[in-house]
Amino acid sequence: MTNTIYLDGENLTLEEVVQICRHGFKVEISEEGKEKINRSRALVEKFLDEGRPMYGINTGFGKFSDISISSDQLEDLQRYLIVADAVGIGDPFDTEVTRAIMLLRANALVKGYSGIRLEVVQTLIDMINKGVHPQVREKGSVGSSGDLCPLAHMVLPMLGMGEAEYNGKVMTGKTAMEKAGIPTVTLQAKEGLALINGTCAMTAVASLAVYDSIVLSKTADIVCMLTIEALEGITDPFDKRMHIARPHKGQIEVAENLLKLCKDSKLTTRQGEKRMQDAYSLRCTPQIHGASRLALDYVAGVIETEINSATDNPLILVDTEDAYSGGNFHGQPVAIAMDTLGIAMAEYANISERRIERLVNPMLSGLPGFLTPVEGLCCGFMVPQYAAASVVSENKVLAHPASVDSIPTSANQEDHVSMGTIAARKARTIIKHAQYVLGIELICASQAVDFKEPEKLGIGSRKAYDILRERVTFMKEDRVIYPDMDNAAQLISSVKVLEAVEEVVGKLN
């Protein structure tokens, strides 16, 4: 397997984004991509030689689009654009997000619609490969014209300005580039606009969020089944015939997963053996988890399209020798998708917290109160349920859509904006909260199983139990538990639970 991924602007996948941004895979521009970049740049230079008016190339920006810029000011125009737009607020994005921003901007430029020089795109590639990570502040983008503000912060070190992280230390952009041995660039006509006018910040956050959501959706089925077994739940509601009668793809997939996970279990029951029905948080899992999966399918499709799209303005149309101003920078497709993702992922946390309550409440579980062997003296898992309830409640605030808001900018020239970057950041936070809530459920379900017989678990649930017990032991008496919660959440977010379980049950839907 090669550790180098070649960009052609057409075929980048979510998995490759993760490999580059989290696992250090290298990036190169394909030969086809280089040709497309060079053709596009040649056309821009032809237009300049002809004196053709082109937005943002030899005109001002936004409300100033009707003001012509003289040929001797074109480089200044691009530099001023970058410094004027670098107005970010708040903490910098995580390194993996910054790498994704750089990667997706490079992939968009490789499509050959942007009129940028190859050497400038190569500078961005070199920064990814050598680990020069601009300090890109999280807040300040309204999501059109694209992510101007965060992308301007990305560009600053390319010009020897701003700040960047290199070898784990934050320093000036100029110093980081020098230490990495990467020459800075002087932007020529169109190039500043090509670098910052696009949706690559929101889509970078979205790409990692969607990947994590796919992992979360499968892992939630695993954790849920462990809880069902701990509570000696009924498996009849997962019978395939039930779901063919209401054939939503998501619920069919979840029901199949649950039965696969509890194969050979001696803890599950059948309808009427111990009770006639389980509560909704157990019985309706295929319908609830499945609905979020339907939303996730839609969101993944949007983001997979967006990461291979040209989203700047104007677009250089080489085949017909045109330069058209349009609206591909508008983040509305991503904004609505990420608002949808936030709602869908919040539901995983919602139902997980309700299953936690069933595990810790002795009136519902038939187990020792709050899963402690020392009732009264110890609180057991009483307060982890509070923590889960806290972030579940916060998720309900975060799930309010950002995309329904718009504040006009640029003297009402840009009179509808997407707020897509806000939507993406909110969704990512909701996902992190859901990972923690599921981690708490995983701990509680494992504790509950220890009051019974773990060897009676189904093959998938037993593997999940074993993986947790490698890091988190049975709690005989109260201890500082937040490190256990951190460990459980990390087992989920790192894909370790999912990978271990799939080794024994095969690939989950």
Side-chain angles (χ1 to χ4, degrees):
M1 182 180 71
T2 178
N3 285 347
T4 300
I5 292 168
Y6 288 85
L7 302 183
D8 61 9
E10 311 292 338
N11 298 295
L12 186 65
T13 67
L14 290 173
E15 290 75 14
E16 289 172 336
V17 172
V18 170
Q19 288 170 331
I20 294 163
C21 299
R22 290 182 175 166
H23 306 303
F25 278 41
K26 300 299 182 183
V27 189
E28 298 293 345
I29 305 171
S30 69
E31 290 304 314
E32 178 189 1
K34 292 176 182 178
E35 291 175 8
K36 290 189 290 187
I37 291 170
N38 287 332
R39 287 199 302 268
S40 178
R41 182 62 196 178
L43 188 55
V44 168
E45 292 178 354
K46 177 184 177 183
F47 290 159
L48 289 169
D49 290 341
E50 294 171 351
R52 178 172 176 170
M54 294 170 289
Y55 169 74
I57 300 176
N58 48 22
T59 74
F61 306 104
K63 185 64 176 176
F64 294 144
S65 61
D66 293 327
I67 298 177
S68 296
I69 306 299
S70 64
S71 58
D72 62 341
Q73 293 179 311
L74 297 186
E75 289 185 3
D76 288 341
L77 177 70
Q78 300 302 311
R79 181 171 60 85
Y80 288 150
L81 174 66
I82 302 303
V83 298
D85 285 20
V87 293
I89 296 169
D91 295 328
F93 281 113
D94 294 344
T95 297
E96 64 177 28
V97 173
T98 300
R99 288 177 63 80
I101 292 171
M102 299 163 74
L103 170 66
L104 297 187
R105 192 68 234 150
N107 194 53
L109 297 171
V110 168
K111 287 184 73 69
Y113 288 93
S114 302
I116 194 169
R117 287 173 296 154
L118 177 59
E119 65 189 76
V120 179
V121 185
Q122 187 61 51
T123 298
L124 201 53
I125 297 292
D126 291 342
M127 292 169 69
I128 296 170
N129 289 338
K130 294 185 178 182
V132 176
H133 303 129
Q135 294 293 282
V136 179
R137 294 186 175 191
E138 290 183 320
K139 301 176 184 179
S141 174
V142 295
S144 42
S145 296
D147 286 309
L148 298 173
C149 173
L151 292 174
H153 281 277
M154 178 198 78
V155 176
L156 286 176
M158 300 174 69
L159 310 182
M161 304 167 71
E163 294 178 305
E165 178 261 324
Y166 180 66
N167 284 344
K169 295 181 180 179
V170 176
M171 58 194 74
T172 67
K174 184 174 184 294
T175 300
M177 296 291 276
E178 289 174 348
K179 285 181 176 290
I182 305 172
T184 57
V185 299
T186 299
L187 298 178
Q188 296 183 6
K190 178 67 167 71
E191 293 183 328
L193 194 58
L195 285 164
I196 72 170
N197 195 205
T199 63
C200 294
M202 68 179 80
T203 309
V205 178
S207 298
L208 297 172
V210 168
Y211 179 86
D212 289 341
S213 297
I214 293 169
V215 172
L216 183 71
S217 68
K218 297 179 181 182
T219 308
D221 293 350
I222 295 169
V223 175
C224 171
M225 194 65 237
L226 184 60
T227 293
I228 290 170
E229 292 189 65
L231 296 174
E232 299 180 20
I234 303 166
T235 57
D236 296 82
F238 312 141
D239 188 296
K240 185 174 184 178
R241 294 168 294 177
M242 298 281 291
H243 304 285
I244 290 176
R246 190 198 193 193
H248 289 298
K249 173 176 173 283
Q251 76 177 67
I252 291 172
E253 290 175 345
V254 173
E256 288 176 352
N257 283 349
L258 294 175
L259 291 178
K260 184 182 289 188
L261 291 162
C262 70
K263 182 183 178 183
D264 298 334
S265 174
K266 304 298 188 297
L267 292 177
T268 57
T269 59
R270 302 299 301 273
Q271 182 173 297
E273 285 183 359
K274 292 204 166 191
R275 67 192 78 85
M276 188 57 63
Q277 293 183 339
D278 281 329
Y280 287 1
S281 59
L282 307 182
R283 180 172 23 129
C284 298
T285 295
Q287 291 79 6
I288 298 169
H289 284 196
S292 289
R293 282 169 170 257
L294 294 177
L296 179 54
D297 286 346
Y298 146 66
V299 173
V302 171
I303 302 308
E304 286 166 348
T305 297
E306 193 74 5
I307 65 177
N308 290 294
S309 295
T311 57
D312 49 309
N313 177 54
L315 291 184
I316 308 302
L317 306 174
V318 174
D319 290 345
T320 56
E321 295 197 355
D322 288 307
Y324 286 162
S325 285
N328 279 8
F329 53 75
H330 203 293
Q332 196 74 357
V334 177
I336 291 177
M338 293 312 290
D339 280 336
T340 302
L341 185 67
I343 293 167
M345 294 303 108
E347 280 303 290
Y348 280 114
N350 278 351
I351 190 174
S352 176
E353 186 277 328
R354 289 294 80 202
R355 293 192 298 256
I356 293 168
E357 167 65 11
R358 302 201 76 80
L359 287 164
V360 302
N361 187 333
M363 301 300 293
L364 301 174
S365 69
L367 294 163
F370 304 104
L371 302 174
T372 177
V374 193
E375 295 179 81
L377 178 63
C378 292
C379 292
F381 289 90
M382 182 189 299
V383 186
Q385 186 263 329
Y386 298 6
S390 171
V391 294
V392 164
S393 182
E394 186 174 346
N395 280 354
K396 293 170 186 176
V397 176
L398 293 170
H400 178 85
S403 59
V404 298
D405 184 36
S406 177
I407 298 176
T409 58
S410 194
N412 230 36
Q413 173 74 359
E414 299 165 0
D415 56 356
H416 183 285
V417 299
S418 75
M419 304 302 181
T421 314
I422 299 172
R425 290 193 293 105
K426 291 194 304 94
R428 191 165 185 251
T429 300
I430 289 169
I431 292 161
K432 289 181 178 180
H433 288 168
Q435 289 166 343
Y436 260 91
V437 176
L438 283 165
I440 293 168
E441 183 186 355
L442 179 60
I443 296 172
C444 290
S446 298
Q447 182 88 356
V449 166
D450 280 329
F451 287 107
K452 298 183 178 181
E453 298 174 79
E455 60 273 13
K456 290 186 176 181
L457 286 168
I459 58 173
S461 301
R462 179 58 191 263
K463 191 63 176 181
Y465 167 89
D466 289 342
I467 286 291
L468 180 80
R469 283 288 174 250
E470 291 176 5
R471 294 200 189 181
V472 178
T473 59
F474 179 80
M475 190 165 75
K476 296 178 182 178
E477 56 188 27
D478 285 355
R479 62 179 183 240
V480 176
I481 197 171
Y482 72 83
D484 294 342
M485 292 162 53
D486 290 347
N487 269 319
Q490 198 274 334
L491 283 172
I492 290 170
S493 64
S494 67
V495 203
K496 289 186 178 178
V497 169
L498 177 58
E499 289 177 343
V501 170
E502 287 189 329
E503 285 180 5
V504 297
V505 303
K507 286 290 182 182
L508 294 175
N509 294 318

